[in-house]
Amino acid sequence: DAKTTQPNSMESNEEEPVHLPCNHSTISGTDYIHWYRQLPSQGPEYVIHGLTSNVNNRMASLAIAEDRKSSTLILHRATLRDAAVYYCILRRGDNFNKFYFGSGTKLNVKP
Amino acid sequence: DSGVTQTPKHLITATGQRVTLRCSPRSGDLSVYWYQQSLDQGLQFLIQYYNGEERAKGNILERFSAQQFPDLHSELNLSSLELGDSALYFCASSPRLVVMYEQFFGPGTRLTVL
């Protein structure tokens, strides 16, 4: 299984940016990096994904290291609604359908 | 609301029993995925069906089976239940065979085995 390593928990203040790190040192050339989040009592929801270049969408930005061994999910202005468990996942390039969720980072947002 | 529905929301049963969990994907989605989320194992991929056929398998026990029907809804059957099978079971769907962008997750079924 393609492994990712994330901190167990992080804390942020409301309205401030949050940088959620993920290490994936065993990533292969065709692996995509996906981020999902799981709000309390809900199923996971898609946040963003990328391959090599940095990506932006309405929810967040994804910064991918040049060697692709790590990535950072950036929430530009954290809100209380962003409190969730964030999962960094490698989608295997040779098998698009097996998503391996790790333990994730529990983000706490303080008002 | 992701558009994926799962029933029942909660299920309490005894060891040795058999249960069936049901999932209706988003309208138009052909792929259905099942996941198990337990406290000690995190979120684990179990199996994927596409347009009625099994297409990918993860850490699914032999006591578990799934199928996808012509109307595209899916059922996950869990038999000879053990205490360790207590978990949240999520269903997800996506439009195509391969997950290019995102899966849409349902609200989950919480299974408690006593």
Side-chain angles (χ1 to χ4, degrees):
Chain A
D1 295 356
K3 289 268 187 157
T4 62
T5 305
Q6 300 176 253
N8 287 335
S9 63
M10 290 185 66
E11 200 163 75
S12 169
N13 294 317
E14 198 176 10
E15 302 292 313
E16 289 185 358
V18 182
H19 291 233
L20 297 164
C22 179
N23 286 319
H24 27 79
S25 58
T26 60
I27 193 170
S28 68
T30 55
D31 288 350
Y32 284 78
I33 302 155
H34 280 241
W35 284 80
Y36 277 72
R37 72 179 185 181
Q38 188 172 17
L39 302 171
S41 304
Q42 294 187 27
E45 64 176 351
Y46 168 84
V47 177
I48 201 166
H49 81 283
L51 182 62
T52 55
S53 305
N54 294 345
V55 184
N56 300 298
N57 67 18
R58 63 175 177 81
M59 286 182 73
S61 296
L62 176 60
I64 301 173
E66 202 169 324
D67 64 4
R68 300 212 323 127
K69 293 184 184 300
S70 65
S71 62
T72 303
L73 178 71
I74 303 164
L75 307 179
H76 295 287
R77 286 166 58 109
T79 69
L80 296 178
R81 198 195 171 276
D82 292 322
V85 178
Y86 286 79
Y87 296 97
C88 168
I89 304 151
L90 293 186
R91 173 165 66 90
R92 301 310 302 268
D94 59 352
N95 188 329
F96 282 74
N97 298 322
K98 291 191 180 185
F99 274 62
Y100 299 98
F101 287 75
S103 55
T105 296
K106 185 171 184 180
L107 175 65
N108 181 37
V109 180
K110 295 187 295 182
Chain B
D1 183 358
S2 67
V4 177
T5 61
Q6 292 186 245
T7 56
K9 275 190 172 179
H10 303 277
L11 197 48
I12 301 174
T13 187
T15 54
Q17 295 298 305
R18 173 190 168 94
V19 296
T20 297
L21 313 184
R22 181 189 168 103
C23 168
S24 293
R26 289 188 329 151
S27 176
D29 283 358
L30 297 178
S31 277
V32 170
Y33 311 79
W34 286 97
Y35 289 84
Q36 179 192 56
Q37 186 171 37
S38 57
L39 281 174
D40 57 346
Q41 293 279 340
L43 194 66
Q44 298 225 46
F45 167 74
L46 295 178
I47 198 164
Q48 179 215 3
Y49 276 80
Y50 174 77
N51 205 21
E53 290 188 17
E54 180 187 309
R55 298 306 297 255
K57 234 175 181 177
N59 302 321
I60 187 166
L61 300 172
E62 284 191 15
R63 300 183 286 109
F64 296 0
S65 65
Q67 53 185 328
Q68 186 180 28
F69 296 86
D71 67 352
L72 300 177
H73 91 270
S74 178
E75 293 181 354
L76 179 67
N77 300 297
L78 315 176
S79 62
S80 303
L81 284 168
E82 302 175 358
L83 295 177
D85 297 327
S86 295
L88 266 170
Y89 291 84
F90 288 103
C91 164
S93 74
S94 68
R96 294 182 292 256
L97 172 61
V98 295
V99 184
M100 299 305 294
Y101 297 105
E102 58 185 299
Q103 298 179 11
F104 298 88
F105 282 79
T109 293
R110 182 173 293 280
L111 173 66
T112 302
V113 182
L114 301 175

